[in-house]
Amino acid sequence: EELEGGKQTANHQLVDQLYTTRRLVQTVSLIIQEMDRFSSLTHTLEDKSKIIVLITQYIKTHLQQEITLQEVADTFYISSNYLSRLFKEVSSMSFTEFVLYEKTELAIVMMKNGKSLTEISEKLGYLNLSSFTRMFKKVRGASPSRYLDSV
């Protein structure tokens, strides 16, 4: 069933076909065809943007833990491939680029609030200060301390 204009409607042709099938294989085949048809419906850019807004909010609230594409896809009940394509299409940035950029944004705020780089790297889930510094330099083009001096 689909929601259309606030009221539920059913694909009556499909329902009729399901009732007339004589074998389970035929029933399963019809259901799979309908699922394929449904999943191939294209969302509008507005719909896609709404999904990405929800996902970016989720990411921003979970920056202090490891965030994987698969975990976020599972959370939003979509495939990781679709999430990856959708993210790039709507935000012009890959999922990973966005996560790393947001982690550096949080790190900059923490540095401005007087937190040590070691403390920041631990809070953001990095194994050590050197991996945090490498990531920061890759994303921002300068080490954390140099970046802060230039701001």
Side-chain angles (χ1 to χ4, degrees):
E1 293 184 359
E2 299 171 327
L3 292 176
E4 190 176 283
K7 50 186 181 164
Q8 291 185 348
T9 60
N11 180 341
H12 295 290
Q13 183 180 10
L14 174 65
V15 172
D16 292 344
Q17 289 175 333
L18 288 171
Y19 279 121
T20 59
T21 60
R22 295 180 187 260
R23 300 180 59 206
L24 182 60
V25 167
Q26 292 171 309
T27 305
V28 170
S29 177
L30 285 170
I31 292 171
I32 290 172
Q33 287 173 10
E34 183 64 9
M35 289 173 60
D36 287 344
R37 184 193 69 77
F38 183 75
S39 68
S40 69
L41 294 174
T42 56
H43 293 101
T44 66
L45 186 56
E46 184 180 339
D47 292 339
K48 292 175 181 179
S49 295
K50 287 177 184 177
I51 293 168
I52 294 302
V53 165
L54 292 172
I55 291 170
T56 58
Q57 289 172 343
Y58 176 88
I59 291 168
K60 288 178 181 184
T61 60
H62 292 84
L63 285 174
Q64 296 184 347
Q65 59 197 65
E66 185 180 339
I67 301 170
T68 67
L69 179 68
Q70 189 62 56
E71 173 217 336
V72 175
D74 291 345
T75 300
F76 285 87
Y77 302 102
I78 57 179
S79 79
S80 57
N81 288 335
Y82 178 69
L83 172 56
S84 182
R85 282 192 317 271
L86 182 64
F87 209 94
K88 186 77 170 179
E89 178 185 337
V90 172
S91 72
S92 302
M93 182 182 279
S94 76
F95 175 86
T96 303
E97 289 169 338
F98 180 80
V99 170
L100 294 178
Y101 182 83
E102 288 300 320
K103 281 190 179 241
T104 61
E105 281 289 299
L106 182 56
I108 291 166
V109 170
M110 293 167 91
M111 285 188 290
K112 288 180 178 178
N113 288 328
K115 303 280 187 202
S116 73
L117 292 179
T118 303
E119 189 177 355
I120 294 169
S121 69
E122 288 172 3
K123 283 200 180 268
L124 293 179
Y126 287 89
L127 297 174
N128 54 50
L129 179 58
S130 102
S131 22
F132 165 71
T133 304
R134 252 191 331 276
M135 178 279 301
F136 192 97
K137 189 173 183 177
K138 179 181 176 187
V139 173
R140 297 292 177 150
S143 68
S145 52
R146 285 206 178 156
Y147 185 86
L148 197 56
D149 290 340
S150 69
V151 176

